[in-house]
Amino acid sequence: MSARSVSPYERFGGLSPYSDARLREHVYAAHETLTGLAHRYYGDWRLWRTIAERNRLRDVRQIEAGTRLLIPERPLESGRYEST
């Protein structure tokens, strides 16, 4: 049997191809924080809640190393024009 690629849609289930079209996957390391990930992926540390809510994290201070986190696309800001 040959190995095949498994998409985040299959692995995590319950994802919508429309809202999660640009979803990324990140393996959490012991030295990382959600604010650091938000800064890396969005350029704004204050958007850490976007990652926490998407992954349904109960306690953001207790994320184990090796946990696979889904990183959604940066949310658009109200009143700000952004082109793609």
Side-chain angles (χ1 to χ4, degrees):
M1 185 179 253
S2 65
R4 73 178 185 91
S5 176
V6 178
S7 74
Y9 302 112
E10 293 176 283
R11 185 177 306 128
F12 295 100
L15 303 179
S16 166
Y18 299 106
S19 63
D20 295 326
R22 295 187 180 154
L23 193 65
R24 292 186 234 180
E25 189 174 341
H26 179 86
V27 178
Y28 193 80
H31 65 277
E32 293 180 313
T33 62
L34 282 188
T35 55
L37 291 179
H39 180 70
R40 178 190 305 174
Y41 288 106
Y42 305 139
D44 188 347
W45 65 270
R46 296 171 293 180
L47 296 174
W48 65 269
R49 284 186 184 89
T50 302
I51 299 169
E53 290 170 1
R54 181 64 190 88
N55 290 280
R56 298 182 189 126
L57 297 174
R58 291 182 180 182
D59 187 354
V60 298
R61 294 167 289 177
Q62 299 296 322
I63 304 171
E64 294 183 29
T67 301
R68 293 184 183 276
L69 297 175
L70 299 175
I71 310 294
E73 186 175 28
R74 180 188 171 130
L76 293 176
E77 296 178 24
S78 177
R80 181 175 169 185
Y81 174 77
E82 295 184 23
S83 62
T84 54

